[in-house]
Amino acid sequence: MSSKPFDLASHPTKDTIKILTFLLEKITSANDKRHSETGSLKIPSYTCFHARSIPSISIHAYFTRILKYCPCANECLIALLVYFDRMTLPNSLDRPPIQIDSYNIHRLIITGLMISSKLYSDVFFTNTRYAKVGGLPVAELNALELEFLCLNDYNVFVTIEELQSYGDKILEHWMSAEEIDALAIKSVDHHLNHTRCVNNEEDLLSNLGKLSMDTNSTYKSDSVDRQKRFSRPNFSLRHTSAGGTVDVTGDLMHRLPTTSITRETS
C-alpha cells in the first residue's frame, strides 16, 4: 500500500502527537499485558523512569500539555521514537534494554522531548521549566536526563533520513488503522441499511395484510452503539485547569504559579 510521505516541515504537531499516542498506547498495552501474564516485572527491569503507580493523565493529554508550555517541532517528536528504539537495544554500558510500559512512558516522554528540543530547537527551555510542566522535581529530571543519555550511548543525533523514515512509517501505520476502521464502519452501515430495507418491506407487507409478521424490531436500539464500537478511540483531552501541573507519580494535581509559564531561553 503506497501512502504520501510524512511532511516534517508542515505536518501539524497536534496531529503528530495523535499518531505518536496511537503507537505508544499499543506498545505500552502490549508490554503491560506481558507483565501481567508473568505476574510482575523482574527486578532488573525496574529503572529510574518507573513510577510507583500508573499516572492518571493519558499519554495524549501529557503530550498536549508539554507542547502547550514547551512547544517543539516535528523533528523533536519523531526523534523521540528513534531514542526509544535505541534504548530497547543492548548498549555498551551492559545495562538491560528498557521496556516501555504504562509505568515509565511519561518520564520517558518528558525526558526525551527535553533532550531532542535542546538538539533541534534554536530556542529551548530550561530543565526547571520542563520539570514544572512534567510534574517532576528538577533534581529527578536532571538524573533522568543523564540516564536517558546513557541508555542511548550518548548518541542523540538523528539524521534527516532517519527522521523521514520513521515519520513515513508511523504515518502509514496510522492511515492503515484508519482504513480498517473505515471498512468496519462501512460494513456496519451496510448492515444497518439492509435492516432498514427489511423493516420497510415488513411494514409494507403487514399493511397489505398478506403476511402476519412480528413488528418488534431488534435493530432500532443498538445502531448507534454498533457505530461507536468500530470507531477510532477518542483522543480528546481531559479537562484540567490551565495553571495545573501533572504529578507523574500518579497522585494529585498541583498548581504552578502563573509566572512559571513565561518563556525562558538559554
mmCIF file of all heavy atoms in Angstrom, residues 236-256:
data_model
loop_
_atom_site.group_PDB
_atom_site.id
_atom_site.type_symbol
_atom_site.label_atom_id
_atom_site.label_comp_id
_atom_site.label_asym_id
_atom_site.label_seq_id
_atom_site.Cartn_x
_atom_site.Cartn_y
_atom_site.Cartn_z
ATOM 1 N N SER A 236 -9.662 12.969 22.729
ATOM 2 C CA SER A 236 -9.916 14.265 23.332
ATOM 3 C C SER A 236 -9.223 14.375 24.677
ATOM 4 O O SER A 236 -9.018 13.394 25.373
ATOM 5 C CB SER A 236 -11.417 14.477 23.527
ATOM 6 O OG SER A 236 -11.934 13.512 24.394
ATOM 7 N N LEU A 237 -8.873 15.622 25.022
ATOM 8 C CA LEU A 237 -8.117 15.863 26.244
ATOM 9 C C LEU A 237 -8.993 15.824 27.470
ATOM 10 O O LEU A 237 -10.158 16.185 27.421
ATOM 11 C CB LEU A 237 -7.439 17.240 26.169
ATOM 12 C CG LEU A 237 -6.194 17.338 25.304
ATOM 13 C CD1 LEU A 237 -5.687 18.759 25.330
ATOM 14 C CD2 LEU A 237 -5.124 16.419 25.847
ATOM 15 N N ARG A 238 -8.389 15.404 28.552
ATOM 16 C CA ARG A 238 -9.020 15.531 29.856
ATOM 17 C C ARG A 238 -8.960 16.998 30.246
ATOM 18 O O ARG A 238 -7.957 17.663 30.084
ATOM 19 C CB ARG A 238 -8.235 14.651 30.824
ATOM 20 C CG ARG A 238 -8.423 14.910 32.239
ATOM 21 C CD ARG A 238 -7.601 13.928 33.041
ATOM 22 N NE ARG A 238 -7.561 12.621 32.395
ATOM 23 C CZ ARG A 238 -6.946 11.598 32.928
ATOM 24 N NH1 ARG A 238 -6.347 11.698 34.062
ATOM 25 N NH2 ARG A 238 -6.928 10.437 32.307
ATOM 26 N N HIS A 239 -10.055 17.552 30.729
ATOM 27 C CA HIS A 239 -10.101 18.977 31.066
ATOM 28 C C HIS A 239 -9.462 19.209 32.420
ATOM 29 O O HIS A 239 -9.902 18.689 33.435
ATOM 30 C CB HIS A 239 -11.549 19.482 31.087
ATOM 31 C CG HIS A 239 -12.215 19.381 29.753
ATOM 32 N ND1 HIS A 239 -11.885 20.197 28.703
ATOM 33 C CD2 HIS A 239 -13.166 18.538 29.283
ATOM 34 C CE1 HIS A 239 -12.625 19.886 27.644
ATOM 35 N NE2 HIS A 239 -13.400 18.876 27.973
ATOM 36 N N THR A 240 -8.357 20.001 32.400
ATOM 37 C CA THR A 240 -7.682 20.380 33.631
ATOM 38 C C THR A 240 -7.483 21.883 33.617
ATOM 39 O O THR A 240 -7.555 22.527 32.571
ATOM 40 C CB THR A 240 -6.315 19.693 33.758
ATOM 41 O OG1 THR A 240 -5.514 20.030 32.621
ATOM 42 C CG2 THR A 240 -6.467 18.187 33.839
ATOM 43 N N SER A 241 -7.213 22.451 34.767
ATOM 44 C CA SER A 241 -7.016 23.886 34.854
ATOM 45 C C SER A 241 -5.741 24.281 34.141
ATOM 46 O O SER A 241 -4.780 23.533 34.102
ATOM 47 C CB SER A 241 -6.936 24.317 36.327
ATOM 48 O OG SER A 241 -5.882 23.658 36.969
ATOM 49 N N ALA A 242 -5.727 25.494 33.561
ATOM 50 C CA ALA A 242 -4.601 25.929 32.753
ATOM 51 C C ALA A 242 -3.331 26.040 33.575
ATOM 52 O O ALA A 242 -2.233 25.881 33.071
ATOM 53 C CB ALA A 242 -4.921 27.284 32.114
ATOM 54 N N GLY A 243 -3.457 26.323 34.871
ATOM 55 C CA GLY A 243 -2.269 26.505 35.700
ATOM 56 C C GLY A 243 -1.829 25.247 36.400
ATOM 57 O O GLY A 243 -0.891 25.283 37.182
ATOM 58 N N GLY A 244 -2.516 24.101 36.160
ATOM 59 C CA GLY A 244 -2.201 22.886 36.891
ATOM 60 C C GLY A 244 -1.020 22.152 36.299
ATOM 61 O O GLY A 244 -0.845 22.114 35.103
ATOM 62 N N THR A 245 -0.226 21.569 37.117
ATOM 63 C CA THR A 245 0.866 20.733 36.631
ATOM 64 C C THR A 245 0.612 19.296 37.060
ATOM 65 O O THR A 245 -0.005 19.055 38.083
ATOM 66 C CB THR A 245 2.224 21.213 37.198
ATOM 67 O OG1 THR A 245 3.238 20.377 36.657
ATOM 68 C CG2 THR A 245 2.277 21.124 38.695
ATOM 69 N N VAL A 246 1.061 18.355 36.252
ATOM 70 C CA VAL A 246 0.723 16.957 36.451
ATOM 71 C C VAL A 246 1.757 16.281 37.332
ATOM 72 O O VAL A 246 2.952 16.425 37.130
ATOM 73 C CB VAL A 246 0.662 16.244 35.084
ATOM 74 C CG1 VAL A 246 0.323 14.789 35.272
ATOM 75 C CG2 VAL A 246 -0.361 16.932 34.208
ATOM 76 N N ASP A 247 1.292 15.535 38.316
ATOM 77 C CA ASP A 247 2.174 14.741 39.166
ATOM 78 C C ASP A 247 2.292 13.362 38.541
ATOM 79 O O ASP A 247 1.367 12.575 38.592
ATOM 80 C CB ASP A 247 1.577 14.649 40.569
ATOM 81 C CG ASP A 247 2.466 13.861 41.516
ATOM 82 O OD1 ASP A 247 3.528 13.383 41.057
ATOM 83 O OD2 ASP A 247 2.101 13.741 42.686
ATOM 84 N N VAL A 248 3.420 13.061 37.881
ATOM 85 C CA VAL A 248 3.540 11.801 37.163
ATOM 86 C C VAL A 248 3.788 10.625 38.082
ATOM 87 O O VAL A 248 3.985 9.517 37.619
ATOM 88 C CB VAL A 248 4.671 11.876 36.103
ATOM 89 C CG1 VAL A 248 4.352 12.912 35.072
ATOM 90 C CG2 VAL A 248 6.001 12.148 36.757
ATOM 91 N N THR A 249 3.799 10.830 39.388
ATOM 92 C CA THR A 249 3.845 9.690 40.293
ATOM 93 C C THR A 249 2.461 9.080 40.451
ATOM 94 O O THR A 249 2.286 8.081 41.115
ATOM 95 C CB THR A 249 4.350 10.121 41.688
ATOM 96 O OG1 THR A 249 3.474 11.123 42.222
ATOM 97 C CG2 THR A 249 5.755 10.681 41.599
ATOM 98 N N GLY A 250 1.457 9.712 39.813
ATOM 99 C CA GLY A 250 0.121 9.160 39.824
ATOM 100 C C GLY A 250 -0.685 9.585 41.024
ATOM 101 O O GLY A 250 -1.688 8.973 41.328
ATOM 102 N N ASP A 251 -0.294 10.654 41.727
ATOM 103 C CA ASP A 251 -1.020 11.051 42.921
ATOM 104 C C ASP A 251 -1.989 12.193 42.623
ATOM 105 O O ASP A 251 -3.065 11.967 42.109
ATOM 106 C CB ASP A 251 -0.019 11.459 44.009
ATOM 107 C CG ASP A 251 0.876 10.292 44.404
ATOM 108 O OD1 ASP A 251 0.366 9.162 44.427
ATOM 109 O OD2 ASP A 251 2.051 10.533 44.671
ATOM 110 N N LEU A 252 -1.612 13.458 42.913
ATOM 111 C CA LEU A 252 -2.544 14.563 42.800
ATOM 112 C C LEU A 252 -2.024 15.607 41.830
ATOM 113 O O LEU A 252 -0.871 15.603 41.418
ATOM 114 C CB LEU A 252 -2.761 15.220 44.188
ATOM 115 C CG LEU A 252 -3.335 14.315 45.271
ATOM 116 C CD1 LEU A 252 -3.338 15.056 46.603
ATOM 117 C CD2 LEU A 252 -4.750 13.879 44.914
ATOM 118 N N MET A 253 -2.910 16.559 41.453
ATOM 119 C CA MET A 253 -2.526 17.679 40.623
ATOM 120 C C MET A 253 -2.094 18.826 41.520
ATOM 121 O O MET A 253 -2.713 19.110 42.528
ATOM 122 C CB MET A 253 -3.723 18.128 39.772
ATOM 123 C CG MET A 253 -4.330 17.064 38.907
ATOM 124 S SD MET A 253 -3.315 16.688 37.493
ATOM 125 C CE MET A 253 -3.555 18.181 36.558
ATOM 126 N N HIS A 254 -0.995 19.480 41.151
ATOM 127 C CA HIS A 254 -0.538 20.641 41.880
ATOM 128 C C HIS A 254 -0.653 21.864 40.974
ATOM 129 O O HIS A 254 -0.706 21.737 39.756
ATOM 130 C CB HIS A 254 0.916 20.459 42.331
ATOM 131 C CG HIS A 254 1.099 19.277 43.238
ATOM 132 N ND1 HIS A 254 0.650 19.245 44.525
ATOM 133 C CD2 HIS A 254 1.665 18.059 43.009
ATOM 134 C CE1 HIS A 254 0.940 18.074 45.074
ATOM 135 N NE2 HIS A 254 1.548 17.345 44.160
ATOM 136 N N ARG A 255 -0.643 23.049 41.573
ATOM 137 C CA ARG A 255 -0.814 24.261 40.789
ATOM 138 C C ARG A 255 0.515 24.984 40.630
ATOM 139 O O ARG A 255 1.260 25.184 41.571
ATOM 140 C CB ARG A 255 -1.831 25.189 41.473
ATOM 141 C CG ARG A 255 -2.102 26.457 40.708
ATOM 142 C CD ARG A 255 -3.306 27.160 41.288
ATOM 143 N NE ARG A 255 -4.497 26.317 41.209
ATOM 144 C CZ ARG A 255 -5.244 26.213 40.129
ATOM 145 N NH1 ARG A 255 -4.932 26.870 39.041
ATOM 146 N NH2 ARG A 255 -6.307 25.448 40.135
ATOM 147 N N LEU A 256 0.803 25.345 39.368
ATOM 148 C CA LEU A 256 2.004 26.112 39.091
ATOM 149 C C LEU A 256 1.714 27.596 39.232
ATOM 150 O O LEU A 256 0.624 28.043 38.885
ATOM 151 C CB LEU A 256 2.464 25.862 37.647
ATOM 152 C CG LEU A 256 3.339 24.648 37.391
ATOM 153 C CD1 LEU A 256 3.520 24.490 35.897
ATOM 154 C CD2 LEU A 256 4.683 24.818 38.049
#
